[in-house]
Amino acid sequence: MIKFLDLHKINERFREETDKRIKEVLDSGWYLLGKQNELFEKHFADFCGVKHCIGCGNGLEALSLIIKGYGFGPNDEIIVPANTYIASILAITQNGCSPVLVEPDIKTYNINPDLIEEKITDKTKAIMVVHLYGQAVEMDKIWALAKKYNLKIIEDSAQAHGAYYEGKRTGNLGDASGFSFYPGKNLGCMGDGGCVTTNDDKLARKIRAIRNYGSEQKYKNIYKGVNSRLDEIQAAILDVKLPYLDEDNKKRREIAKFYRENIKNPEIILPDTYDEKAHVWHIFAIRTSDREKLQKYLSDNDIQTLIHYPTPPHKQECYKEWNNLKFPITEKIHKEILSLPMSPVLTENEVQKVVEVLNEYRL
């Protein structure tokens, strides 16, 4: 079976280095907010080209911390793509804000900048962009709208570690960005983890306190905070893997290029990109009219696939109040999308087999 993502094989490449760093943590007797966090936060901030990186528990909490840090709450609206993983939406509603959903561009699957302005009201506080599947949102129009209406830009960069837009990395394209380091990400730890990146000194200081019970000094709580800290072992693992991220992303681009140039089947719609050198291909998502049939066919040929994502947020049971809303482009994507194997450890033979099997597929 060609695995969709072989996490053991990915992480085994770093085994000697991670074992050494984990031993350092265990021997130190310091397991939270210590040396490893400081190292990783500095290195990841430098990588993204920003002043601050604040480690936290996971990607959802990273986004929530940004919203909380800005003081957004009830009666505030945040514009967000309808086509996204539900964490983007949860971060907004957890803080009592109202998500305002906007359809994606059918070619890139990212939010359509041309549809945002009509959704802006006097309650709008921010635009949350989601760099879905590893491709940065086209930001020019969004930057202009944020300036025109005095809005914050929040990046959901959970799927786009190392991606670029006009020479700048994700994490440095808005006012603040949330990253996830879930194990399956392009930069993943071996558990849960996340961070916030920003150039806003005031926001960074506030988030550092909020993530730690709202405290800058032990037992003195200046904010109604939360407990959301990146532990030392996960920080150490991430710091080991970070120097290899660009090379891993380069391999993903090579695989995506091979897929895009060699899959020749009229039943399959290939993903589009406006800049092949900037995309990091966290997910290589194709579309087809009969997804279930294609997925079964690939499984029968020992190729594992996943669906990102089968049900859009506005159709989830937890948001029953939205279930009657219609977002036809989003719904079409969620009905047809299927993700092919994609990782830096796929072999040439495996990639070639995926292509050959897909080219033989018939409805």
Side-chain angles (χ1 to χ4, degrees), residues 46-235:
D46 291 345
F47 176 83
C48 294
V50 296
K51 292 167 66 176
H52 304 285
C53 168
I54 306 103
C56 63
N58 54 64
L60 168 57
E61 290 174 1
L63 294 173
S64 183
L65 284 166
I66 294 168
I67 296 168
K68 194 180 293 290
Y70 279 127
F72 301 150
N75 299 318
D76 292 334
E77 295 177 349
I78 297 177
I79 290 172
V80 65
N83 181 47
T84 185
Y85 183 56
I86 201 166
S88 312
I89 312 293
L90 289 172
I92 297 170
T93 59
Q94 281 181 357
N95 284 280
C97 301
S98 298
V100 177
L101 306 182
V102 174
E103 285 271 55
D105 182 325
I106 191 65
K107 291 183 178 180
T108 66
Y109 307 134
N110 282 332
I111 194 168
N112 187 336
D114 294 329
L115 301 179
I116 293 176
E117 188 165 18
E118 65 190 52
K119 297 293 185 77
I120 295 173
T121 72
D122 58 0
K123 296 181 179 180
T124 307
K125 298 296 183 183
I127 301 169
M128 182 183 289
V129 297
V130 181
H131 307 302
L132 200 67
Y133 301 155
Q135 178 160 229
V137 172
E138 295 177 82
M139 295 295 297
D140 294 82
K141 292 179 181 179
I142 294 170
W143 286 331
L145 287 171
K147 183 177 181 180
K148 180 178 179 180
Y149 293 99
N150 192 29
L151 304 175
K152 297 296 184 184
I153 297 175
I154 301 171
E155 296 177 77
D156 181 340
S157 302
Q159 300 186 19
H161 311 70
Y164 284 96
Y165 182 75
E166 294 188 355
K168 295 177 72 175
R169 301 246 198 204
T170 53
N172 191 21
L173 300 176
D175 294 283
S177 177
F179 283 89
S180 167
F181 300 122
Y182 179 78
K185 303 299 185 183
N186 290 32
L187 179 63
C189 53
M190 297 182 193
D192 267 324
C195 80
V196 173
T197 59
T198 185
N199 288 307
D200 185 330
D201 297 339
K202 184 178 178 181
L203 179 69
R205 182 173 179 178
K206 189 173 181 181
I207 288 176
R208 285 191 187 281
I210 292 173
R211 71 167 177 180
N212 189 34
Y213 299 99
S215 174
E216 291 183 332
Q217 183 178 348
K218 196 168 186 178
Y219 303 130
K220 291 188 178 181
N221 306 83
I222 53 180
Y223 305 108
K224 295 176 182 176
V226 298
N227 176 11
S228 181
R229 300 172 296 200
L230 180 65
D231 75 64
E232 286 285 276
I233 287 178
Q234 302 307 334

Side-chain angles (χ1 to χ4, degrees), residues 244-260:
Y244 302 92
L245 178 57
D246 279 336
E247 188 62 32
D248 279 357
N249 284 342
K250 180 182 176 184
K251 180 66 183 297
R252 288 173 178 269
R253 290 188 192 100
E254 291 170 356
I255 294 168
K257 188 173 188 290
F258 189 84
Y259 279 160
R260 280 162 46 83

